[in-house]
Structure formats: structure tokens, C-alpha cells
Amino acid sequence: MPQFDQILGLFSFLSLNSSTRPDTIACQGLASTFYNKTVHPADIQYNDLVTENWSQTAWQSPTCIFQPNTVAELQVAIPIIVNANASFAIRSGGHSPIPDAAAIDAGILIDLPKFGGTRYDAESSVVVIGAGQRWGDVYAELDQYEVTIAGGRVPSVGVGGLMLGCGHSYLSDLYGLVCDNVVNFEVVVADGSLINANAESNPDLYWALKGGSNNFGIVTSFTLRAYPIFHIWGGTKIYPFEALSDMLDALAEFQTNPEKDPYAQFDMKASVTNTTFGIVLALAYLKPEKSPAAFAPFYRLEKNWNTLLDTTSLRTIYNLISEYPVPSIPRIEWTTTSLQPSQSLYKSIGEIFSTSPTVNKLRELTAGTGVFSLQGVSASAVEAGKLHGGNALGLEPVAQSWFHTDVGWWFPEDDESAHNAIRSLTDEVETAAKAQGSYLRYLFMNEASIDQRVIEHYGDENVRKLKEVQKKYDPGAVFQQLEPGGFKLP
């Protein structure tokens, strides 16, 4: 009788010595309430679990790790943690390099790998995804039905953090951002209640979760719209770094085309510290059409530059994202800003990364690897989000680039130098954008640095609304105070 066992465990928890530390009290309460769901530092699997986060910058030492099998178990566990006044973190996939975002010291890590499963409902054209899933598993499951979703582009990334932060997809110009495509959030709130947030039920929370991150509750599953897209054309083209100026010109032409094809999308990364890695251009065209005319600006590059690699072909989205380059460097950080694309601004960005002394500071790090990236978001993506009920992001309906700089390095003693260097480079890009009237206030949460105040950049009115929603659904500010990681409401 598992329910009876849980009640006995809860009585045992309540009788614990009140002088014990809150995190210890909570861990003891979880261990006595649930059989074999709590992992402690002495357990053999503990080290593997705490080092599961993608970047070592996010490795922490939780007092215990709680891995619920069911939503009902999570509903019982949350009041135990809250009543003990213990700090906690939530991990979906653990891809964020930010400390405390999906890890914690002296607290409880609520780990969700058992919240898996991808269920396609053909009649309703929706997909229900457990919060512990990773995008590669989701796409692999959907391929058999020849449908897809507006989802992430890196297979190892967890679904939870990406959707609650915003999420950019190859389908975004057609159907909006990833968060815009959620039709229902299943959420456990601070008192253990389970609620649904959608257009009809708790619509204010539904709006807030589309960009509001972990500030309201623990999302246990997401229901997304499915689309009949299966065979596409796309792949990766790698060019020599010396082609950077021409590449940036091609990007500006592609993005500023007033007739831009919404089925065409790109992602560009340029390695600025080890230029032999070159420029990686990912292309996706959401129809089974070889070498579509929409990418003509990039084809013209090949009149002057030979590609070092070209994998473009007819394929599925799952096949495409499976070749996304993910570095194996142990420590990673990134930072972001937003801007309106133009040839003059892109020329300035190219000059910054070709001449800035800060690039040399990245090279001075042990195994220092610096990359800057541009990903395009069309006005149509913003408008599509409005048609789906809007979101909390405060985006302007204009063609824009979400710029970010990534740095990888080897040793903890270089953490501060790495952080300062990429913030300095992003500041240089922002200064150039402001000088040309091309700066946009929005910050893409999924690629923001720990000290970027992301939610402030959503605008005063949206911040006000988010605070109202937080007070309504989390009146005790549990997810503001006891869950310290991630991007909090200002």
C-alpha cells in the first residue's frame, strides 16, 4: 500500500529534530516518505547524477537528489521541501551552464528523468511531452507519424528549460517561438496542487509561463501543436573563416528581404579563436525541395569560397538536428543581445571579432574557444505568437537577430576571465548596434549569462503582469526565494 507507506513516512518526517538544517530535514523527510527515490552523497550513483549537467560550471553538490516517478509523488514532495524551508533546484535536461539553474549546493535537486514520454494524438494534432524528455527523443518518436513540432534544435537539450525560457525553432517564422506552440502546461504549484494552464483554464498563468521561466511552479508536461512536416531540405555548410565578411553580407541580404520565405531558416556560428574551425552555417527549408531559391544569398558565396563541408540533402528534422555541433569542452558560458540586421551593423560585428583585443583574452584561456552566433527571427514569428495568445517576452514585430557569444575553457581558475571577456565582446556589439539605431532590448533567456537581467528586458508592463501572476499562484514566493537559480522576477 504505497499511499499508506507515504503517510507513515510523512509522520516520521514531522517528528524529526527541528534544529537540523532545512535541507537536511527535507532530505530526511523525502527519504522516509518515498522508497528508493532519494539519492544522497554516500550513494554510488550520486557522483554520476551531479556531473550530468552539460557544463562543469553548473556542477553543484546538492544535499540530496529527489527523482520522482509520478506527478503524484512530486505533489507530496513539494510541501515537504517547502515546510522545511529548504532551497531546491529543478532539472529537466541540465543543458544550462548557469550555476543553480538546474543544480544547487546545500539544497534539494529535483531531477525529472522519470517524467519522460512523447505521446502523439493524431485526432487533436497535439503532442504531450514529459518534462524530463530531451528534444532528440521527442523528434525520434514523432518521425514514425511523419509530423513534427516547433521544438529545440539540439538533441541533448531538455524540453523544460527551453520552453519556459522561450525556445527558438526552425519552424518559428511559420508558427511562432517554441513557447508559443504550447497549448497546455501541467503544473505543480507550491502547495502541491496540480493545475493546468491553457487558453481557457488559468489563462494568466498560461501567458506567464511562455517566457516566465521557473518563477511559478514545476511544469510536469507540455502539450504542443503538431504539424504535418516530415521531409525537408537542409544541412550544414562549413566555410573558411576568411569568408566571414561575405557571409555576414549574405546573412544581412537574407534577413532583410521583405519577401523572406518563412519556410527558410538558418543558424550561423563563427569560430573566432581557432579560425581553422571556420564558419558553420546550418540551413533548413521546411519542404522537400532541393537547393531552394530562398537561400540564394548563400549560394553566391560559393562563387568565391569553397565549402569545407556540405551535408545539405533531403532529410527529416530529427536527422538534421542530430548533426548539430555540440562542443565537448568541459566549461561553457554564453551571453546574448538582440539587434536589427543590416549590412553596416554586420560589418561592424565582423570587425569587432577580427580586431578586438578581447578575442586574444579568450585565446589566453586554457583550451579557450570563442564562437559568436547569429540566428534570425522574422516579424512573422512575433506575429504568429500573438495569434497563439501572446507571450511574456515583449518582442517587437520586426526582423531581428538574436546574437550570442559562447566561450569554452578548461579550468575553474579561468572562470572570471572567461565571463568578463564574453561580456566585454557582447558590450562592444551592443554599443555598435545602439550607435546605428539597431539595438533591441530583448534578451533571449536560453542563451543569456548569469548576470543578465533577462526578465527586466521584457518591458515594464509585462514585468508588472508577471509579478501579479506570481503573487496569485505562488503567494508565499516559494519559487522566488527557495528556488534561487535561473532568471528571477525583478
Side-chain angles (χ1 to χ4, degrees):
M1 299 178 64
Q3 287 184 330
F4 181 71
D5 290 343
Q6 288 183 1
I7 292 171
L8 285 178
L10 186 56
F11 278 121
S12 174
F13 156 65
L14 293 173
S15 67
L16 292 169
N17 186 341
S18 60
S19 66
T20 311
R21 270 178 21 188
D23 52 311
T24 304
I25 291 176
C27 287
Q28 290 173 334
L30 293 169
S32 61
T33 304
F34 302 98
Y35 174 72
N36 208 26
K37 303 290 193 307
T38 306
V39 179
H40 295 85
D43 294 329
I44 192 169
Q45 66 267 48
Y46 178 86
N47 190 63
D48 287 341
L49 290 174
V50 298
T51 58
E52 192 174 287
N53 295 61
W54 175 52
S55 173
Q56 289 183 12
T57 56
W59 290 4
Q60 304 277 9
S61 299
T63 308
C64 67
I65 303 167
F66 176 62
Q67 294 185 312
N69 281 338
T70 66
V71 173
E73 290 176 348
L74 182 62
Q75 287 182 264
V76 174
I78 290 301
I80 291 175
I81 296 169
V82 172
N83 291 337
N85 201 34
S87 297
F88 63 94
I90 305 159
R91 183 168 70 188
S92 170
H95 189 74
S96 173
I98 296 175
D100 291 342
I104 193 165
D105 277 327
I108 295 86
L109 173 60
I110 301 172
D111 195 20
L112 302 179
K114 307 294 177 60
F115 284 23
T118 298
R119 187 175 74 254
Y120 172 55
D121 183 338
E123 184 175 342
S124 301
S125 294
V126 298
V127 180
V128 182
I129 305 171
Q133 283 282 73
R134 297 175 188 262
W135 288 109
D137 298 324
V138 174
Y139 289 118
E141 178 67 20
L142 295 180
D143 265 7
Q144 64 183 302
Y145 305 109
E146 298 192 1
V147 299
T148 194
I149 53 175
R153 294 168 298 169
V154 181
S156 59
V157 170
V159 302
L162 184 133
M163 280 193 272
L164 294 174
C166 168
H168 187 250
S169 166
Y170 287 126
L171 279 67
S172 287
D173 283 359
L174 281 172
Y175 302 118
L177 300 163
V178 179
C179 65
D180 295 321
N181 283 271
V182 180
V183 297
N184 186 72
F185 298 91
E186 183 185 78
V187 192
V188 175
V189 293
D191 66 359
S193 300
L194 181 68
I195 62 177
N196 286 285
N198 52 58
E200 289 76 37
S201 180
N202 304 303
D204 50 354
L205 179 60
Y206 176 57
W207 171 87
L209 288 169
K210 292 190 281 185
S213 193
N214 60 4
N215 290 292
F216 310 99
I218 301 176
V219 178
T220 56
S221 72
F222 305 81
T223 304
L224 282 79
R225 298 174 182 87
Y227 301 103
I229 295 173
F230 183 55
H231 287 112
I232 68 167
W233 180 89
T236 302
K237 290 175 177 275
I238 299 181
Y239 298 85
F241 184 79
E242 291 74 20
L244 181 61
S245 178
D246 290 344
M247 171 63 75
L248 293 174
D249 283 345
L251 284 175
E253 180 183 349
F254 175 80
Q255 289 184 263
T256 57
N257 180 358
E259 304 299 323
K260 182 197 170 294
D261 188 337
Y263 286 84
Q265 190 55 273
F266 78 94
D267 181 59
M268 189 280 295
K269 299 183 183 299
S271 177
V272 298
T273 51
N274 188 339
T275 55
T276 58
F277 292 156
I279 304 164
V280 179
L281 178 69
L283 299 176
Y285 193 72
L286 302 174
K287 296 179 181 180
E289 180 182 322
K290 293 182 179 180
S291 302
F295 293 127
F298 303 116
Y299 306 148
R300 288 196 291 272
L301 273 175
E302 289 160 31
K303 293 181 179 180
N304 299 319
W305 303 100
N306 292 325
T307 55
L308 306 177
L309 176 72
D310 186 346
T311 70
T312 53
S313 63
L314 295 176
R315 62 212 305 180
T316 68
I317 289 182
Y318 174 53
N319 182 261
L320 174 62
I321 71 163
S322 294
E323 69 179 33
Y324 193 95
V326 178
S328 57
I329 301 170
R331 307 185 75 80
I332 300 286
E333 191 180 355
W334 48 47
T335 183
T336 188
T337 191
S338 295
L339 45 90
Q340 291 183 268
S342 69
Q343 285 195 328
S344 61
L345 179 57
Y346 280 4
K347 180 180 179 181
S348 297
I349 291 173
E351 290 173 351
I352 288 169
F353 282 91
S354 297
T355 64
S356 175
T358 307
V359 173
N360 286 328
K361 293 183 179 180
L362 295 179
R363 293 191 181 103
E364 291 169 1
L365 305 174
T366 303
T369 302
V371 174
F372 82 85
S373 303
L374 291 164
Q375 51 190 331
V377 177
S378 296
S380 63
V382 181
E383 296 295 348
K386 292 179 181 179
L387 293 175
H388 291 325
N391 56 50
L393 305 173
L395 291 164
E396 298 180 45
V398 297
Q400 52 199 276
S401 281
W402 294 353
F403 167 94
H404 69 102
T405 307
D406 298 3
V407 60
W409 68 100
W410 208 263
F411 297 119
E413 51 263 35
D414 287 333
D415 286 3
E416 183 176 358
S417 297
H419 173 79
N420 291 340
I422 62 167
R423 281 310 306 269
S424 176
L425 287 166
T426 300
D427 288 346
E428 289 185 54
V429 171
E430 280 195 356
T431 298
K434 289 174 180 177
Q436 297 186 32
S438 297
Y439 171 74
L440 298 172
R441 74 182 181 195
Y442 174 72
L443 293 177
F444 183 35
M445 183 182 292
N446 300 128
E447 291 169 351
S449 181
I450 186 172
D451 58 356
Q452 292 189 287
R453 300 183 66 82
V454 171
I455 294 178
E456 282 188 11
H457 286 252
Y458 292 178
D460 292 343
E461 178 60 17
N462 283 1
V463 169
R464 182 190 65 78
K465 289 172 63 177
L466 287 167
K467 288 181 175 180
E468 288 180 355
V469 174
Q470 180 266 313
K471 290 176 182 176
K472 177 179 177 181
Y473 292 93
D474 183 20
V478 166
F479 292 93
Q480 297 294 298
Q481 297 172 6
L482 295 184
E483 187 189 13
F487 295 97
K488 299 287 126 181
L489 301 181

